[in-house]
Amino acid sequence: MAGIWLQQEDDTDWVVFVCSEAEILHNIWKDKCYMAILAFLLLVLGLCEPNEATSQKPNILLFMADDLGIGEIGCYGNYTIRTPNIDRLALEGVKLTQHISAASVCSPSRSAFLTGRYPIRTGMNGHDNGGKRVLLWNAASGGLPTNETTFAKVLKEQGYSTGIIGKWHLGVNCNSMDYFCHHPLNHGFDFFYGIPFTLVNECEPSRPGEIAVEYKEKLWFDAQVFFITVLTLIANKKWKLIDITWTVIVIFALSGTLFFMYWFIAFAFQPYWNCLFMRNLEIVEQPMDLKTKSGQIIKEAKAFINRNEDKPFLLFVSFLHIHTPHYTTKEFRGRSKHDLYGDNIEEMDWMIGQILESIDHNNLKNNTLIYFTSDHGAYLEGMEGSPHLKGSNGIYRGGKGMGGLEGGIRVPGILRWPGRLPANTVIDKPTSLMDIFPTVTNLGGGMPPKDRIVDGKDLMPLLEGHVLNSGHEFMFHYCAGHLHAVRWHQTSSETIWKVHYISPKFPEGAGACYGLKLCPCSGEKVIYHVPPLLYNLSSDPSEKNPLPSDSELYSKVLPTIQKAIARHNATLHKVPQQLYGLNNAWKPWLQPCCGTFPFCWCNKENDP
């Protein structure tokens, strides 16, 4: 067989025709004009057929787990949790073993995934103040900025049907004059079915709360002090022990009462404020019923695929699994060797298999790029009330929320596209979740925005074997706004170096920040490394043995990384912080409500 490649004048779209050698007029091969004419005539006459894998825009199906560690699935070395469907994707596609998240917590990581940009460029990096490293409320005004370009926006412009099912956690409303500005439908998605927030313990009534636990304890203590203070003022006024007017006492009492009522109402009704489910802009469950979610997500994903079987689509399935409270349907409870945590992973794997059946049933397998990953590493501190339910990041140190430690940012990365990507292939080069942005936009015929820096790299040349490296020479690992670590891929020696400037301070003999919701990014509970710690990840992936700071190799590697940081810093500009201050506070007037506030409850999915 021989082929003719026909390129349009804008250098963007290629058409491939496959013909037998007998059909090729060899004497005119050298003239490109005659090549194009010949290819057109052959197509019109039906002498050859277009190659389906390259002449059509591919469908794109993205799977993202929530808090899944790289050490928790079979194809990455776990032999105690059954993940046959994920393992099959790796067997039929490409497995990335050094796939890196842009952040070790969800809102920053997901913003980088959608935009291809470090969170610090978009203001989504969070702030190490009061734990505001992720979005804390549906009724907050912070979120993914409206001027950011997601891959969904680009693909929608190229004629794709775009949908997201599951978790969003990148905001809903901006302010009272601009509702739904952070909503998925305002970021390029045609269809949304899922939770605008994230799954938390508060969504399952039998579990202890996990949102702002320390702040709630402090609030309760302050409320008692306030109440005692008011009583003391009243007693002193009555007995004329101090010279103070009743007006001052009343104003003080009313102001404090309103303050504490605001926060107690906010926290008391959290299952209603945060645990809601939406279909596009409409709330369909408030609070949501976790028992039905797995089945509904499968049903909606299959329906989306069926609706769009004849046109290109982008479907982002953003699982609620395996975030706390690890809610698992009764069919999967007790099936794994790791209690509810393992059950939850095995249920998610089954869900993936169910959705893949729709791809096969509609004969879309050979024209669909499928990608599987996690937003960051596993959570090691354990669930409130059930500390034994915690994850594993395999041989890698650290986990969720731990800045630049490898266990918090190295995640699974699997891509399958039969006929285009090689099967059963492993690539051990640095790649990033941010790479999905340029990869899928280029495949869909779009172009990344020209007015901003895109940190991701197109993965296709690496995946197809056309290049040896991904294009990521340096990667920068932030914890909120603090640069914790940097990795350098020294291609001349094929060595991965990693330098740590800041890392969490664990309790003696521990490997996590037990007793805290997340490890801090700065302050007294971190270690500032002076001099910085330098690791050779190629030989020490567990980050156990830093190089001596007085060694010749250290003195050669560190200056190179320092220069890279200086170049990186020169590209950063001040942007509004989306997850800090009032942007991440509960605002009653922005609360999504199914009903009349504050009576927000409904179940339209199960209503007759």
Side-chain angles (χ1 to χ4, degrees):
M1 299 293 286
I4 298 176
W5 293 73
L6 175 62
Q7 185 180 20
Q8 295 183 0
E9 291 182 0
D10 62 1
D11 289 334
T12 59
D13 294 322
W14 291 83
V15 180
V16 181
F17 304 100
V18 180
C19 313
S20 68
E21 293 182 3
E23 293 170 322
I24 304 301
L25 302 179
H26 296 280
N27 293 333
I28 61 173
W29 268 113
K30 296 180 181 179
D31 193 317
K32 293 182 180 178
C33 180
Y34 282 114
M35 281 176 58
I37 295 172
L38 176 61
F40 176 77
L41 290 173
L42 290 172
L43 178 61
V44 172
L45 293 173
L47 296 176
C48 60
E49 297 291 334
N51 186 317
E52 182 183 354
T54 50
S55 65
Q56 298 179 9
K57 291 180 178 178
N59 304 309
I60 298 165
L61 175 56
L62 309 174
F63 292 118
M64 178 177 281
D66 194 1
D67 289 14
L68 178 73
I70 195 171
E72 297 174 338
I73 50 180
C75 57
Y76 282 90
N78 189 303
Y79 301 108
T80 61
I81 297 177
R82 292 163 294 190
T83 55
N85 295 293
I86 299 172
D87 298 345
R88 179 163 62 93
L89 288 177
L91 187 64
E92 297 175 354
V94 179
K95 181 176 72 173
L96 306 173
T97 60
Q98 197 171 164
H99 200 43
I100 307 299
S101 172
S104 60
V105 288
C106 48
S107 294
S109 169
R110 289 164 182 267
S111 71
F113 173 69
L114 285 164
T115 64
R117 288 156 52 79
Y118 282 112
I120 199 166
R121 299 193 191 279
T122 63
M124 290 295 293
N125 50 290
H127 197 281
D128 193 28
N129 184 344
K132 294 183 177 179
R133 291 163 59 187
V134 298
L135 204 62
L136 295 178
W137 302 94
N138 276 325
S141 57
L144 185 62
T146 56
N147 63 346
E148 287 297 323
T149 300
T150 66
F151 52 66
K153 274 186 182 178
V154 177
L155 293 178
K156 184 176 180 178
E157 293 171 355
Q158 298 302 313
Y160 274 72
S161 294
T162 56
I164 174 173
I165 296 174
K167 173 178 171 174
W168 174 242
H169 206 186
L170 293 172
V172 181
N173 301 315
C174 287
N175 52 58
S176 57
M177 302 300 293
D178 194 7
Y179 285 107
F180 299 115
C181 68
H182 297 310
H183 191 278
L185 297 194
N186 201 39
H187 279 292
F189 290 100
D190 298 320
F191 176 74
F192 172 56
Y193 183 76
I195 56 174
F197 189 56
T198 185
L199 200 58
V200 289
N201 276 7
E202 283 77 359
C203 298
E204 187 178 357
S206 63
R207 295 288 181 182
E210 65 172 305
I211 298 294
V213 174
E214 292 181 0
Y215 183 75
K216 283 189 280 189
E217 292 175 352
K218 183 178 183 301
L219 192 69
W220 176 241
F221 175 79
D222 291 344
Q224 295 177 79
V225 171
F226 167 76
F227 181 71
I228 293 171
T229 302
V230 171
L231 291 179
T232 302
L233 288 174
I234 293 173
N236 278 275
K237 173 64 178 177
K238 185 176 181 179
W239 295 328
K240 298 180 181 181
L241 298 177
I242 57 174
D243 185 18
I244 187 171
T245 65
W246 284 111
T247 302
V248 171
I249 295 175
V250 170
I251 291 175
F252 174 74
L254 284 176
S255 300
T257 300
L258 289 173
F259 172 82
F260 288 110
M261 282 182 62
Y262 165 84
W263 281 111
F264 282 126
I265 290 173
F267 288 127
F269 287 87
Q270 273 184 327
Y272 295 91
W273 306 151
N274 283 338
C275 303
L276 57 89
F277 224 75
M278 300 183 77
R279 182 185 297 276
N280 296 324
L281 299 178
E282 181 186 16
I283 299 172
V284 293
E285 287 185 28
Q286 190 173 14
M288 61 183 170
D289 181 5
L290 290 179
K291 295 191 299 293
T292 62
K293 290 289 109 18
S294 295
Q296 287 172 339
I297 286 173
I298 293 171
K299 177 183 175 182
E300 293 294 335
K302 287 187 171 185
F304 183 90
I305 293 168
N306 293 337
R307 287 196 303 269
N308 295 285
E309 61 175 326
D310 296 324
K311 55 184 176 182
F313 65 79
L314 161 73
L315 177 58
F316 176 23
V317 181
S318 178
F319 290 104
L320 310 186
H321 300 61
I322 58 172
H323 199 287
T324 54
H326 313 307
Y327 187 85
T328 307
T329 57
K330 62 181 181 180
E331 291 82 4
F332 283 87
R333 292 196 175 209
R335 290 181 49 166
S336 79
K337 297 179 180 179
H338 296 278
D339 204 344
L340 195 61
Y341 194 95
D343 298 345
N344 205 233
I345 297 174
E346 293 191 2
E347 181 177 47
M348 180 190 68
D349 179 82
W350 170 78
M351 294 171 69
I352 290 173
Q354 292 295 301
I355 297 170
L356 292 178
E357 282 185 5
S358 285
I359 296 293
D360 296 340
H361 178 74
N362 289 289
N363 297 316
L364 300 174
K365 182 175 181 178
N366 291 335
N367 195 41
T368 302
L369 172 67
I370 295 176
Y371 169 73
F372 173 80
T373 193
S374 175
D375 54 356
H376 48 69
Y379 186 48
L380 302 185
E381 281 80 5
M383 185 168 67
E384 293 287 339
S386 302
H388 67 288
L389 296 177
K390 54 187 176 182
S392 168
N393 295 305
I395 65 170
Y396 304 107
R397 182 169 174 251
K400 176 181 178 178
M402 299 185 193
L405 292 184
E406 201 71 1
I409 54 178
R410 190 181 292 222
V411 295
I414 300 170
L415 297 102
R416 188 194 77 176
W417 187 358
R420 187 72 184 266
L421 300 183
N424 199 22
T425 300
V426 177
I427 294 179
D428 188 26
K429 305 289 184 177
T431 57
S432 171
L433 268 68
M434 296 185 292
D435 297 339
I436 297 304
F437 177 90
T439 301
V440 301
T441 55
N442 289 343
L443 285 172
M447 294 289 290
K450 300 292 187 182
D451 62 343
R452 65 198 66 188
I453 293 174
V454 174
D455 299 293
K457 311 294 182 184
D458 188 346
L459 285 174
M460 289 305 293
L462 177 68
L463 298 174
E464 294 183 296
H466 300 316
V467 298
L468 296 177
N469 296 302
S470 65
H472 286 290
E473 185 178 6
F474 297 94
M475 286 186 178
F476 305 91
H477 309 307
Y478 284 90
C479 187
H482 306 276
L483 184 64
H484 272 213
V486 180
R487 81 179 58 218
W488 173 31
H489 182 197
Q490 187 180 19
T491 55
S492 61
S493 63
E494 283 303 317
T495 303
I496 309 294
W497 302 102
K498 187 175 176 188
V499 59
H500 283 268
Y501 297 95
I502 308 173
S503 60
K505 184 187 294 183
F506 299 142
E508 186 69 28
C513 296
Y514 300 116
L516 300 176
K517 176 63 179 175
L518 289 175
C519 292
C521 297
S522 61
E524 297 179 354
K525 294 184 179 180
V526 302
I527 302 172
Y528 295 90
H529 299 293
V530 182
L533 301 181
L534 178 63
Y535 295 92
N536 180 343
L537 287 186
S538 299
S539 60
D540 181 23
S542 301
E543 299 175 291
K544 293 181 177 179
N545 303 300
L547 273 69
S549 59
D550 58 355
S551 66
E552 182 180 357
L553 199 52
Y554 185 99
S555 63
K556 290 182 178 179
V557 172
L558 190 63
T560 302
I561 294 176
Q562 299 281 52
K563 291 176 182 177
I565 294 173
R567 293 193 298 270
H568 170 70
N569 288 340
T571 69
L572 301 179
H573 305 284
K574 189 175 181 180
V575 293
Q577 291 298 303
Q578 297 295 321
L579 307 180
Y580 181 56
L582 293 178
N583 280 341
N584 208 355
W586 181 65
K587 299 179 175 66
W589 58 92
L590 295 182
Q591 178 60 52
C593 182
C594 184
T596 302
F597 183 85
F599 306 106
C600 303
W601 54 77
C602 66
N603 190 341
K604 299 178 182 179
E605 291 293 272
N606 298 321
D607 286 346

